[in-house]
Amino acid sequence: MATERYNPRVSEPRWQKAWEEARLFETSNDDGRPSYYVLEMFPYPSGRIHFGHIRNYTMGDVVARYKRAKGFNVLHPMGWDAFGMPAENAAMQNKVHPKQWTYENIAVMRDQLKRMGLSLDWSREFATCDVDYYHRQQMLFLDFYEKGLVTRKTSKVNWDPVDQTVLANEQVIDGRGWRSGALVEQRELAQWFFKITDYAEDLLTALDALDGWPDKVRLMQRNWIGRSEGLLIRWALVEDTAPEGERELEVYTTRPDTIFGASFMAVAPDHPLARKAAERDPDLAAFAAECRRVGTSAAVLETVEKKGYDTGIRVRHPFDPEWTLPVYVANFVLMEYGTGAIFGCPSGDQRDLDFARKYGLPVIPVVMPEGADPAAFRIEDEAYSDDGVMINSRFLDGMFNTQAFEEVADRLEKAELHGRPVAQRKVNFRLRDWGISRQRYWGCPIPVIHCEACGVVPVPREDLPVTLPDDVEFDTPGNPLDRHPTWRHVKCPKCGADALRETDTMDTFVDSSWYFVRFTEPHADTPTVREAAKKWLPVDQYIGGVEHAILHLLYSRFFARAMRDTGHLDLAEPFKGLFTQGMVVHETYRARDGRWLTPAEVRIEGSDNGRRAFEIATGEEVVIGPIEKMSKSKRNTVSPEEIVDSFGADTVRWFMLSDSPPERDLEWSDEGVAGAHRFVQRIWRLVNDAAPALKGVAPRPAREGAPAVISKAAHKALKVVSEDIEQLAFNRAIARIHALVNDLQAPCAALAGADAATLAAARDAVEILISLIAPFMPHLAEECREKIGAEGFVAASRWPDYDAELVVDDQITVPVQINGKRRGDLTIAREADQAQVEKAVLELDFVQKALNGGAPRKVIVVPQRIVNVVV
RNA sequence: GCGGACGUGGCGGAACCGGUAGACGCAAGGGACUUAAAAUCCCUCGGAGAAAUCCGUGCGGGUUCGACUCCCGCCGUCCGCACCA
């Protein structure tokens, strides 16, 4: 009997339509069942989905469908991270308005996502560029402002002089603007900031409780926040060396214990003391200017030589007024960290040591490894920065360095300079406040007004939203809002005088810092409805790329706290479970002349080591390059539309989760997709062939006799696949399903004329199989369910429960080792006790042979696992 | 430089808390069916050996009745941060 092939082109749209009409995936906030919120990081509407999206959303969809089947009221929404530069770039290049470009892209991508059969609640969809959304974001901004969580201060920014805009650090490549190619300048600009540093301590300590997050991400955040404990120490300047009006220099150190090893002070080129000194010293001014020019990009720093300039200023050592030290301006000291000034201890810090050697400064060893000989301990080319015992440090000598830290801190806190304590304990963070100003059009306007008389005036709430004007031009570089003839001119809400609107818009990371809250009540007038937020949050399972491990996830954690403190939320941690999925990667192909070729332009011949690639158009051999993330620049992309067109969404979904563990990279392969499609057809055939015999049969697992084999296979698979999905081990779940199909193949092909018990067991097994594949291949599952004549949707049915008696075997087979090497096995009743097992083992032929008539030295019996006989 | 993860067949990977290494898939080879092809089905598939058996989880040691798994030391790959005082 030939069965027709499963045709996803017909079936998939049919079921998608049926689900939509039944409104299966629309979630109500008034539902008594336990809630489960699964969310994938929402996409930027670039114009088309790629396999990264598909992998991400398929994982979320498996969880959503599984949890729904397990009886949860599941929230699984989708939206668009729709503000940002690409829309403006498109406007400049293609003369299309950012709004039009964005909404058209959204329409295309929404269709593409719908074709994947994702169980999303589209009734909650929004885009961050919807006025409705950014209106509420402006409300949040005003609340944050009122609460003191927003500040405006000048800071150094990367300024692109051609495009006339601020660039993020990631947008500066080798010191040049990524778009214009112009040399980026460092500028001081007044910028808006969110005071994320107010929460630094809490953001750090709360990580410990986030046990649903990968350790890796928690560690990255920990390092990013970068807490250190140290001491602020004020050093008196030697009067006749100091510039006019300067009396002291404050430094931050985490190693006050090394204070007797100090041999110089160093300050940043922008440090106030350096600036003052530069006023009277043109050479110093030139040196500082040179430092600024070189900039601070990571790549540059690696190669730049440590340089200093002796200002001639000297300071007095806090423990010895007779001891004075020189003050240098140094290119390696950062103004942004600590106080922008350090004391250099060459013996305990490699950088300081290099500096000291270069400028002939003293190197005094002050910490040595425990047990070393103080008389013989020397510092040559390597500083000693580990813990140890104090030497050459007067009253600290002999102490352990951590003890010396406390001693120095205690003494200096009590000592006074100019009427204040010399030192103060201080916890310092690497984390900086979050600069949210962007000199761009396509973003959420910052709702403030600048009045000459009143200063910064927030836009009154009743005047919100501040909407973006539509009539803007992108012909000239810079921010179109600045050039708009009328938009920025307003009356001051306070005094009524002529005033100017803020033309900066918010960083798009602001938009994505609370969208998951908005999904809980997406059409409310207020940013959130606390009851709804309380019901759904925190997000139970959040899934996305590891590239957001720091910024997006840290900003969102800040936002939750800020929203809590402004009365919008009742929690601090927005994401209970976090999963970071790997990328989709593919080989790269490069022609002789350096052109990158897409996989579609290449023909592969041979296999394994003999694989060669040829350009189809020319027949020329091309170089097979390394496997990399699919990207436009390397052209190693495969178009999801074409693949979905030819194989269907189920095949693609199945392939996306097969083989590679979800947290690792997935290599795209045509053979892999073909294999997934074969499996789709194989299930269809199995169900189809069995369907006539199974129609109208009531499912009933068999515990005894031949049909028990079927039932055991099905119920064991049910148990482990459920566990695998709970752990997001999709690749393992898929392997188990494959194995189940292998087990069911023969019995299901022989159902014609089978007895009632067998038919009932087969029906039960096939129903289980359909349930198991449903989260992965939802369309095929519906088609199969229909085929065997069951009512209703798989998508709306309960996850089956396994029969506990079927997943354990009466007889078990355990391996038997002799001296730790496997020599055979033993089949015995499961409940056999140790003595029985030992007796049975010793009677085995090969054991007798090994014993050779003697007694074993030892027999180790691990119940139901293994037996080891030591002879 | 600092921090972290990982290293298993031709390939992706499995192996739960230290207990049968290589499940499942891909590729490859052989066979059946077919006029032929596709599809499908069956068999083989870490290495050596005729077999018994021996060897085998990056390398070298160690702990253990037993190590892919734990400990020490190397080597390699990848990721994050990077002049943070």
Side-chain angles (χ1 to χ4, degrees):
Chain A
M1 176 179 59
T3 41
E4 87 266 37
R5 284 172 67 78
Y6 174 65
N7 185 353
R9 260 167 283 194
V10 175
S11 293
E12 293 186 349
R14 182 172 150 241
W15 291 109
Q16 284 162 19
K17 188 159 167 267
W19 293 330
E20 197 175 337
E21 281 168 1
R23 306 177 78 170
L24 277 190
F25 309 129
E26 287 181 26
T27 304
S28 164
N29 283 356
D30 310 309
D31 187 314
R33 290 174 298 168
S35 310
Y36 192 90
Y37 188 177
V38 54
L39 182 70
E40 302 94 59
M41 292 179 184
F42 68 162
Y44 178 79
S46 59
R48 48 193 43 200
I49 53 171
H50 52 71
F51 276 113
H53 293 129
I54 292 185
R55 192 171 187 215
N56 191 186
Y57 304 144
T58 303
M59 288 178 193
D61 201 48
V62 169
V63 173
R65 287 177 179 272
Y66 172 77
K67 286 290 177 182
R68 218 176 271 120
K70 288 294 266 185
F72 289 89
N73 182 32
V74 172
L75 177 58
H76 188 212
M78 181 56 71
W80 310 95
D81 188 12
F83 273 136
M85 297 214 323
E88 286 187 62
N89 293 335
M92 285 180 246
Q93 282 152 23
N94 310 329
K95 307 278 176 220
V96 53
H97 194 280
K99 187 193 256 182
Q100 184 194 347
W101 183 85
T102 303
Y103 281 104
E104 282 175 8
N105 284 349
I106 287 175
V108 170
M109 291 176 72
R110 186 193 298 114
D111 275 357
Q112 291 175 334
L113 285 185
K114 286 193 170 178
R115 289 186 53 202
M116 294 310 300
L118 303 168
S119 63
L120 291 164
D121 181 354
W122 286 103
S123 73
R124 294 177 188 245
E125 176 194 4
F126 61 79
T128 55
C129 64
D130 294 345
V131 177
D132 195 51
Y133 183 78
Y134 72 71
H135 177 181
R136 273 78 206 184
Q137 188 159 301
Q138 290 171 342
M139 293 166 79
L140 289 176
F141 179 94
L142 294 180
D143 289 346
F144 288 9
Y145 185 84
E146 220 163 67
K147 191 81 185 175
L149 294 171
V150 183
T151 58
R152 187 171 153 87
K153 57 188 176 188
T154 56
S155 84
K156 256 195 195 167
V157 294
N158 302 306
W159 180 259
D160 184 321
V162 173
D163 281 356
Q164 299 194 15
T165 186
V166 168
L167 296 178
N169 283 333
E170 308 83 62
Q171 293 157 354
V172 181
I173 298 152
D174 294 334
R176 292 173 183 275
W178 70 285
R179 230 184 67 84
S180 67
L183 271 176
V184 168
E185 300 166 3
Q186 303 285 309
R187 276 208 186 176
E188 294 270 337
L189 272 187
Q191 302 270 293
W192 288 98
F193 286 85
F194 282 151
K195 289 167 78 179
I196 189 170
T197 53
D198 281 9
Y199 296 93
E201 187 77 54
D202 185 38
L203 286 167
L204 183 72
T205 51
L207 285 170
D208 294 337
L210 286 178
D211 49 14
W213 284 37
D215 289 341
K216 180 189 169 164
V217 174
R218 291 198 282 175
L219 186 69
M220 280 165 72
Q221 292 215 350
R222 228 168 255 137
N223 292 339
W224 186 264
I225 296 168
R227 184 183 195 274
S228 65
E229 286 179 15
L231 206 58
L232 283 171
I233 305 176
R234 296 158 61 228
W235 301 60
L237 301 184
V238 175
E239 295 74 17
D240 52 351
T241 66
E244 188 71 31
E246 297 290 327
R247 293 202 298 174
E248 59 188 58
L249 175 63
E250 190 173 44
V251 306
Y252 177 72
T253 180
T254 56
R255 293 296 299 272
D257 47 307
T258 65
I259 196 159
F260 289 103
S263 58
F264 66 94
M265 314 296 286
V267 302
D270 286 321
H271 192 278
L273 188 63
R275 287 185 184 261
K276 260 232 171 117
E279 284 170 16
R280 61 177 194 190
D281 183 346
D283 288 345
L284 174 54
F287 176 78
E290 171 66 14
C291 293
R292 262 172 235 129
R293 198 187 60 74
V294 169
T296 52
S297 92
V300 175
L301 292 174
E302 185 70 21
T303 55
V304 165
E305 197 187 352
K306 314 258 176 291
K307 273 196 258 179
Y309 184 98
D310 188 347
T311 60
I313 303 169
R314 296 188 76 86
V315 296
R316 287 185 203 288
H317 196 280
F319 285 115
D320 184 350
E322 300 304 308
W323 181 359
T324 68
L325 302 90
V327 177
Y328 282 77
V329 171
N331 64 347
F332 63 87
V333 179
L334 303 173
M335 193 57 223
E336 297 80 20
Y337 189 79
T339 61
I342 62 164
F343 79 76
C345 172
S347 64
D349 182 287
Q350 192 59 43
R351 220 177 18 205
D352 294 348
L353 181 61
D354 297 343
F355 193 85
R357 295 286 189 225
K358 180 163 178 171
Y359 294 103
L361 297 160
V363 178
I364 312 158
V366 285
V367 183
M368 64 169 192
E370 247 184 322
D373 173 11
F377 185 66
R378 296 271 181 283
I379 297 290
E380 303 293 345
D381 302 332
E382 261 182 60
Y384 181 78
S385 57
D386 291 341
D387 285 342
V389 179
M390 303 308 302
I391 49 172
N392 303 323
S393 296
R394 308 189 189 185
F395 57 87
L396 301 173
D397 283 352
M399 288 183 187
F400 203 68
N401 67 301
T402 45
Q403 204 185 341
F405 180 118
E406 299 303 324
E407 182 66 28
V408 169
D410 288 347
R411 289 196 186 208
L412 292 183
E413 275 175 336
K414 283 180 198 125
E416 284 206 348
L417 176 66
H418 306 133
R420 290 196 295 132
V422 171
Q424 174 191 348
R425 284 170 210 259
K426 163 98 179 178
V427 171
N428 216 343
F429 293 95
R430 209 190 75 108
L431 183 70
R432 316 275 163 75
D433 277 332
W434 174 14
I436 60 157
S437 286
R438 296 291 180 270
Q439 289 68 42
R440 313 217 68 96
Y441 165 74
W442 196 231
C444 173
I446 295 174
V448 299
I449 288 163
H450 299 277
C451 169
E452 228 162 83
C454 312
V456 168
V457 182
V459 173
R461 277 156 220 271
E462 58 273 20
D463 292 349
L464 292 184
V466 177
T467 54
L468 290 169
D470 285 336
D471 51 336
V472 281
E473 287 180 11
F474 295 89
D475 301 337
T476 32
N479 185 351
L481 293 177
D482 273 338
R483 295 191 306 266
H484 193 279
T486 56
W487 188 78
R488 62 180 311 197
H489 299 284
V490 287
K491 298 291 178 197
C492 170
K494 240 186 200 166
C495 69
D498 285 345
L500 291 175
R501 261 191 210 295
E502 173 64 64
T503 57
D504 283 354
T505 53
M506 295 184 209
D507 182 2
T508 57
F509 274 109
V510 177
D511 312 339
S512 54
S513 293
W514 70 286
Y515 76 104
F516 46 88
V517 185
R518 186 71 182 164
F519 276 138
T520 65
E521 192 64 77
H523 309 298
D525 291 336
T526 47
T528 70
V529 172
R530 281 173 72 161
E531 278 314 302
K534 214 172 191 171
K535 175 186 175 71
W536 291 111
L537 293 172
V539 173
D540 293 281
Q541 186 63 62
Y542 195 34
I543 309 176
V546 73
E547 66 272 20
H548 294 111
I550 296 171
L551 295 183
H552 162 58
L553 291 166
L554 193 60
Y555 293 153
S556 298
R557 296 180 63 221
F558 158 72
F559 242 77
R561 286 164 171 77
M563 287 173 77
R564 176 197 60 196
D565 293 348
T566 49
H568 294 283
L569 270 185
D570 297 285
L571 83 166
E573 288 300 337
F575 310 119
K576 182 157 167 265
L578 173 70
F579 189 85
T580 53
Q581 108 256 13
M583 300 178 296
V584 180
V585 296
H586 197 287
E587 278 178 345
T588 48
Y589 307 103
R590 200 163 200 182
R592 289 258 158 69
D593 56 14
R595 281 175 303 125
W596 295 101
L597 300 176
T598 67
E601 293 166 334
V602 169
R603 172 170 40 86
I604 303 286
E605 286 180 11
S607 62
D608 300 335
N609 286 334
R611 284 177 89 248
R612 298 167 73 192
F614 299 89
E615 182 174 4
I616 294 168
T618 62
E620 299 257 333
E621 179 156 13
V622 299
V623 178
I624 301 182
I627 297 163
E628 295 186 45
K629 178 182 183 175
M630 284 191 180
S631 75
K632 269 186 205 162
S633 56
K634 298 280 173 69
R635 304 195 75 213
N636 58 338
T637 54
V638 176
S639 143
E641 294 112 300
E642 283 171 35
I643 304 293
V644 173
D645 278 345
S646 35
F647 296 101
D650 284 341
T651 293
V652 172
R653 293 169 59 116
W654 187 258
F655 171 69
M656 282 286 132
L657 301 183
S658 301
D659 293 352
S660 288
E663 69 278 11
R664 272 192 238 175
D665 290 350
L666 169 72
E667 195 188 342
W668 175 268
S669 92
D670 293 339
E671 293 83 5
V673 179
H677 191 64
R678 269 201 302 276
F679 190 66
V680 167
Q681 296 295 349
R682 194 173 161 204
I683 289 180
W684 177 242
R685 227 178 306 120
L686 182 141
V687 173
N688 235 299
D689 292 351
L694 297 181
K695 275 222 170 111
V697 173
R700 187 186 167 81
R703 290 187 175 171
E704 279 158 7
V709 176
I710 306 176
S711 297
K712 282 188 178 220
H715 285 255
K716 281 180 184 173
L718 173 56
K719 178 169 186 279
V720 292
V721 170
S722 308
E723 289 163 358
D724 287 340
I725 294 177
E726 298 269 5
Q727 295 168 42
L728 310 184
F730 306 118
N731 59 319
R732 286 207 309 246
I734 281 177
R736 299 290 193 171
I737 294 172
H738 266 286
L740 174 62
V741 170
N742 289 343
D743 289 341
L744 294 184
Q745 183 100 316
C748 283
L751 288 178
D755 60 48
T758 302
L759 287 174
R763 170 89 194 195
D764 178 64
V766 168
E767 285 190 8
I768 285 171
L769 174 64
I770 291 170
S771 291
L772 292 183
I773 63 167
F776 302 90
M777 306 193 286
H779 312 89
L780 176 66
E782 298 289 3
E783 200 75 24
C784 288
R785 184 180 171 95
E786 188 179 60
K787 194 79 197 175
I788 61 168
E791 294 289 311
F793 293 106
V794 182
S797 64
R798 282 293 303 242
W799 194 254
D801 294 315
Y802 66 85
D803 181 333
E805 209 166 289
L806 286 169
V807 298
V808 292
D809 294 312
D810 298 341
Q811 295 275 311
I812 52 168
T813 300
V814 293
V816 177
Q817 297 181 331
I818 291 174
N819 294 336
K821 303 252 183 204
R822 180 173 181 261
R823 283 296 121 96
D825 46 41
L826 170 74
T827 299
I828 193 163
R830 215 177 70 86
E831 22 341 311
D833 62 25
Q834 294 218 356
Q836 289 171 307
V837 172
E838 188 168 332
K839 183 164 175 285
V841 162
L842 293 178
E843 281 165 5
L844 291 168
D845 280 355
F846 62 91
V847 176
Q848 294 267 318
K849 211 160 117 193
L851 289 173
N852 204 12
R857 284 209 306 191
K858 204 172 180 183
V859 179
I860 293 136
V861 177
V862 183
Q864 293 163 49
R865 282 246 120 146
I866 203 165
V867 181
N868 191 11
V869 181
V870 185
V871 297

